[in-house]
Amino acid sequence: MVAKHINEQRYAVFGHPIKHSLSPRIHRHFAEQTGQKAMSYTAIDVPAETFKAAVTDFYNQGGKGLNCTVPLKELAYDFADDVSARAQRCGAVNTLMFKDDGSLYGDNTDGIGLIRDLTVNLNIPIQDRTVLILGAGGATRGILEMLLNETPKQVCIVNRTQSKAHDLAELFAGLGYVTASGYQELNQQSFDLIINATAASLHGDLPPLPNTLLADNGYCYDLAYALEPTPFVKWGIEHGADISVDGIGMLVEQAAEAFYIWRGVYPETRLLIESNLLKQKQ
């Protein structure tokens, strides 16, 4: 792609819809914190059918990097000239960076964002623990490798369409002990950590979960986030979870990793997560 050489250091998040995105608020906070005064970050609504043209236009207008969210992560993976190993494993990209030669580099920071929130911010143990992931879609693909790198005793993927869970389990089997299940098979099982990677919370709903699913002193983590506790977070609290939280910490941590890829400096994240600023209406 041919660029007009503009000095403005522009960044953005592409998605459809995108009005709800907290990414501009997060990255502006990071820029102020680290003294990146020349950096700007905006949210731009980009439907899938105009994605490639929008990326090219953004670059020609001085764009330096992009975040990509639903429904663009797989398109970003296909459009990138080069991708990281973790992006290649999950087949999706949420962070794009324009290199000096104009080529496009893609990475996926979702998995590392989740692990940092779980292990550093929340002090939730993963090693030698049993983990259940609800859902077998793109969100699960984005976190599986990093979860398995923490050497859990077992990761079980459960999905309404059980074949999709089996396909994912087979794809990641070389990284650890991964199993697959349908919801109807969960009645006699319990897990130390349950991660909701479905879209159910966004619709005020819950997957069908047995009351005995969460082990004693277990943890619940919803990849979705909202101003109020999600239905899954409430389920975790009601079933005695030691910690039951939504994915706002993951959102901040994956953004911090993207910021580092672009700017070469790692922002402090904990104060932003704990400040509750992101839970306030925009």
Side-chain angles (χ1 to χ4, degrees):
M1 52 182 78
V2 178
K4 298 175 183 177
H5 297 289
I6 301 173
N7 291 325
E8 184 184 6
Q9 298 171 358
R10 297 183 61 213
Y11 299 84
V13 56
F14 282 7
H16 182 71
I18 201 62
K19 185 178 180 180
H20 67 286
S21 176
L22 294 174
S23 292
R25 195 188 299 194
I26 293 170
H27 282 282
R28 288 167 194 161
H29 175 88
F30 289 164
E32 291 174 5
Q33 178 199 123
T34 59
Q36 308 285 308
K37 296 182 180 180
M39 177 182 175
S40 68
Y41 189 105
T42 56
I44 303 175
D45 193 293
V46 177
E49 56 268 22
T50 63
F51 173 70
K52 292 182 180 180
V55 173
T56 301
D57 289 346
F58 186 77
Y59 176 65
N60 286 334
Q61 294 169 20
K64 298 294 185 180
L66 289 166
N67 287 133
C68 298
T69 187
V70 176
L72 307 175
K73 293 183 181 182
E74 289 79 11
L75 292 175
Y77 175 83
D78 292 336
F79 196 44
D81 299 300
D82 183 31
V83 299
S84 68
R86 59 192 179 192
Q88 187 171 27
R89 171 76 69 172
C90 66
V93 158
N94 75 339
T95 301
L96 290 168
M97 180 177 68
F98 299 104
K99 294 184 177 180
D100 291 340
D101 63 1
S103 63
L104 193 58
Y105 172 75
D107 202 348
N108 192 306
T109 65
D110 286 334
I112 189 63
L114 172 64
I115 295 304
R116 285 196 180 124
D117 196 35
L118 287 173
T119 62
V120 178
N121 299 332
L122 300 170
N123 199 29
I124 292 176
I126 300 174
Q127 186 176 20
D128 296 326
R129 304 301 176 98
T130 55
V131 180
L132 176 67
I133 304 177
L134 311 178
T140 299
R141 291 178 67 101
I143 63 173
L144 261 174
E145 180 175 8
M146 298 304 297
L147 270 173
L148 290 166
N149 286 347
E150 297 296 308
T151 62
K153 181 178 180 180
Q154 174 196 8
V155 172
C156 177
I157 307 166
V158 61
N159 198 64
R160 293 182 188 273
T161 305
Q162 194 167 336
S163 60
K164 290 186 66 176
H166 280 287
D167 289 345
L168 266 190
E170 185 175 341
L171 180 63
F172 286 86
L175 300 179
Y177 181 43
V178 192
T179 62
S181 173
Y183 283 98
Q184 69 278 4
E185 300 172 17
L186 294 177
N187 288 325
Q188 304 303 319
Q189 301 184 64
S190 63
F191 296 87
D192 299 309
L193 169 62
I194 304 175
I195 298 172
N196 180 29
T198 74
S201 284
L202 301 177
H203 307 294
D205 200 2
L206 265 178
L209 305 177
N211 290 329
T212 56
L213 191 61
L214 184 64
D216 292 342
N217 307 118
Y219 308 93
C220 289
Y221 193 99
D222 198 337
L223 298 191
Y225 57 89
L227 293 177
E228 301 295 331
T230 67
F232 179 72
V233 169
K234 291 179 181 177
W235 182 92
I237 294 170
E238 291 166 359
H239 289 80
D242 275 8
I243 296 174
S244 187
V245 294
D246 69 13
I248 199 73
M250 173 183 170
L251 178 70
V252 173
E253 293 294 349
Q254 65 81 24
E257 181 74 8
F259 192 91
Y260 176 75
I261 290 168
W262 294 330
R263 309 298 294 178
V265 58
Y266 210 96
E268 196 281 329
T269 57
R270 187 182 290 263
L271 290 179
L272 178 59
I273 296 168
E274 294 178 349
S275 69
N276 215 34
L277 288 174
L278 298 176
K279 293 288 188 177
Q280 299 174 7
K281 291 184 178 181
Q282 301 187 67

